[in-house]
Amino acid sequence: MTDEYERSAEFVDVLLAPHRAGLGPPLSAALRGTTGPIVDVGAGGGQGTRVIANSVAEAEIVAVEPSMTSRTTLPARVSENAELRDRVTVLPEHLLEAALPHRLGALVAMNVIGHFDAAGRQAIWTMLADRLAPGGRAVLNLEPPGAPVTVPESRFADVRIGPRRYEGRDRAEPVPSPIGPVEPGMHVINGGDA
């Protein structure tokens, strides 16, 4: 299996910090009233894991990150805080291969749902239907555009550390979506009463 973050992992937290800071308050609001365990899908270096921990006091958190290079700082971030060491489990598997708790209070998938193909997304929805506790939530965000279109290369971040400058650029080519256009933004799926 190739690690798509092998070349960029060391820069992801730095380049995406402003964007992720903006996700913190709406994520906290979306998790209000939930309980654990909470699965942090694609936990990366653990910035979102800390937001989850601060938002849902005492909840068990399962941080799932299959990319070894992205995951390298996650255990260090968790170990820096005694409370997190007691509450967070780091799993190196892909979400659909991970040994998750049978019942989930919430699942958080920030900036990650696009990493799953149509069959993978369907497997996630099926897993949530089986495991999401009544009143539980799945929280995910969708970045623009909401339809498959070409996105020309553009700079999304420009950060200086010491005398060096780090620049993040991205581009996209359309791939047909089996679900059609979707609205960008944060989405919350509430668990039923089953």
Side-chain angles (χ1 to χ4, degrees):
M1 179 170 85
T2 61
D3 185 346
E4 64 187 284
Y5 288 99
E6 183 176 4
R7 292 180 54 197
S8 63
E10 66 181 301
F11 307 109
V12 169
D13 281 353
V14 172
L15 295 175
L16 294 182
H19 173 70
R20 287 188 172 156
L23 291 176
L27 176 57
S28 293
L31 291 173
R32 193 170 295 123
T34 62
T35 61
I38 299 173
V39 176
D40 183 8
V41 182
Q47 290 181 330
T49 306
R50 290 191 301 196
V51 171
I52 294 166
N54 291 333
S55 302
V56 186
E58 301 179 13
E60 173 191 352
I61 301 167
V62 179
V64 178
E65 179 52 69
S67 165
M68 183 180 73
T69 54
S70 293
R71 191 177 60 247
T72 55
T73 57
L74 180 56
R77 278 211 172 107
V78 169
S79 71
E80 291 171 349
N81 181 306
E83 181 191 356
L84 290 183
R85 280 195 308 267
D86 290 339
R87 295 173 52 197
V88 177
T89 301
V90 176
L91 297 180
E93 295 87 11
H94 184 281
L95 172 67
L96 298 172
E97 298 164 355
L100 301 176
H102 178 69
R103 213 36 144 172
L104 303 176
L107 179 133
V108 175
M110 303 306 288
N111 299 319
V112 74
I113 203 69
H115 288 279
F116 294 90
D117 62 14
R121 289 191 300 271
Q122 184 58 52
I124 293 169
W125 309 144
T126 300
M127 182 264 295
L128 287 170
D130 292 341
R131 294 186 181 200
L132 198 59
R137 298 192 187 114
V139 182
L140 60 111
N141 68 328
L142 302 171
E143 293 296 319
V149 297
T150 297
V151 177
E153 184 172 313
S154 64
R155 183 175 62 202
F156 67 86
D158 188 352
V159 178
R160 290 191 186 275
I161 300 175
R164 295 195 173 204
R165 180 174 155 234
Y166 299 90
E167 183 177 271
R169 294 184 156 277
D170 60 5
R171 65 182 173 77
E173 293 297 325
V175 174
S177 170
I179 60 172
V182 292
E183 287 297 315
M186 187 172 300
H187 298 266
V188 178
I189 301 166
N190 291 301
D193 296 323

